[in-house]
Structures are given as C-alpha cells and as structure tokens.
Amino acid sequence: MLRTACERCPIEVAFDSDGLPVLFSRFVFPIKERDHGLVKVTSDGKGWSSWRVTDDDWEADVCPVQGPAFSIGPDGRYHVAWFTQGKNRQGLFYARSDDHGKHFSPFMPFGDAGALASHPVVLSLGYRVALVWQEFDGRLTHIKAMLSQDGGERWSAVKTVAQAKGASDYPELVSDGRQIFLSWNSSEQGYRLMALE
C-alpha cells in the first residue's frame, strides 16, 4: 500500500506487548498523499506488514517536517498523535487503539491552530498518558500539556507547562518508569527537565 516514508519527517518506534518493534511514520501514498501508517515486523523477523492509519487526504509535493508521535502502553494500547493540513482535517489530533493498531478511536483534535500548534509528543506510563505540544503567540513559545489517568479515555484541561522567548527545541517526553517528564531546551532558559505529574 505505501510507497515510501516521507523524506524528512521523523519515524517513531515503540515495542509492542509481544516485544516486536512497531514504526509509526508519515508515508507518501499514491497521488502524493502524505498520511500516517504503521509498520510491524513479523514474528519470525523476516518480513513486515504495513497499513494506513490516518485519512487526512493531505496532498503535498514537499515534506512538512513534522513527524508523528507514538507510544505503546504496558497494556498494549497504542497512542498516536500527529499534525496535518489535509482536506479532511487540519491541526493536531490524537487517537488510541486496543487491537494493535488495526482500529482506532475517533480522532480527537487538540491545540490552538491559531497559535500554530505543532510537534505533538505522547507517552504512556501504564494508565497515565501525557500529551504535549508547542504553540507560539508571536512573542513566546508555549509548551502545552494534557494528562490522562485512564489510558487516554479522558483528558485534563490544557495547561502551559513551560514558555520562553527566542529559539527553542521541540518538546520531548521521557520517563524513569515512575514519572513522566518534559525535556525541553530554550536559548532563554537553557535545558529543563520538568515532572508533569
């Protein structure tokens, strides 16, 4: 089904409950559609299967340089987030799957498109899930976050967890197995590692 991965969009990798790697990437489908799909290595390690996840219908000749976000919880639930400017939807979206990515929940929009919401990251730690992204108000870059305590079924209100003037990296999420942390670097404040819970 897929032709190739998008040229510059990062590819996300997570390990499924069976220990096998799964890749979530923006792919270039026929007619230059840039939508997201999953790739999973077969159990014998000799092949792979791939399938489409999003149907945003984003036809573009250039790479948007915005890779998706992907995390698999210990319970095997898939969590995905992505940016799109397709005909069917625009902005940031989140979805989850309980059958190894074959079917997903309805796509949930988040972020303020008027503030250039972009570069989402998702991380699952058991039933706790964190979703962060960046926005820009013309002066400050804001890192926004929502948290879920039930595997992505319900989410907290959006809150600003960091902000800075000037240049900054995209947000990242890391965990020590007990807590979820925001990892972020800005020219104004330097590197920061902040607990989200």
Side-chain angles (χ1 to χ4, degrees), residues 132 143 160-163 171-174 179-186 189-197:
V132 302
I143 303 303
T160 299
V161 293
Q163 62 185 26
E172 292 294 340
L173 292 173
V174 296
Q179 283 186 287
I180 297 175
F181 299 88
L182 169 67
S183 173
W184 192 50
N185 191 30
S186 70
Q189 300 171 8
Y191 178 72
R192 300 170 68 191
L193 185 66
M194 298 163 276
L196 290 183
E197 302 174 281

Side-chain angles (χ1 to χ4, degrees), residues 5-151:
C6 197
E7 295 86 2
R8 295 176 62 197
C9 288
I11 297 172
E12 288 290 309
V13 180
F15 287 87
D16 210 338
S17 52
D18 58 9
L20 294 174
V22 184
L23 287 71
F24 186 49
S25 179
R26 187 187 303 278
F27 291 113
V28 181
F29 293 94
I31 322 175
K32 298 180 182 176
E33 284 183 329
R34 294 179 187 263
D35 268 317
H36 296 89
L38 287 163
V39 176
K40 185 170 183 178
V41 176
T42 56
S43 58
D44 62 8
K46 297 180 180 179
W48 50 271
S49 60
S50 67
W51 61 99
R52 190 171 186 156
V53 172
T54 64
D55 62 345
D56 301 329
D57 193 12
W58 189 359
E59 188 176 331
D61 287 325
V62 296
C63 176
V65 198
Q66 282 220 43
F70 182 40
S71 182
I72 301 176
D75 57 357
R77 176 171 278 186
Y78 285 24
H79 301 271
V80 297
W82 69 97
F83 171 82
T84 184
Q85 288 294 304
K87 294 176 185 174
N88 295 336
R89 60 188 62 84
Q90 299 86 40
L92 297 180
F93 292 86
Y94 163 85
R96 63 188 180 280
S97 171
D98 287 322
D99 59 1
H100 304 279
K102 299 302 181 187
H103 303 91
F104 279 87
S105 64
F107 298 164
M108 178 189 82
F110 64 95
D112 181 356
L116 307 176
S118 60
H119 297 284
V121 186
V122 65
L123 182 64
S124 172
L125 185 61
Y127 287 109
R128 292 175 288 162
V129 185
L131 187 59
V132 302
W133 64 97
Q134 71 177 33
E135 296 183 1
F136 183 65
D137 65 7
R139 191 175 67 89
L140 297 174
T141 296
H142 302 265
I143 303 303
K144 304 284 188 169
M146 294 191 305
L147 301 175
S148 173
Q149 301 294 330
D150 56 6

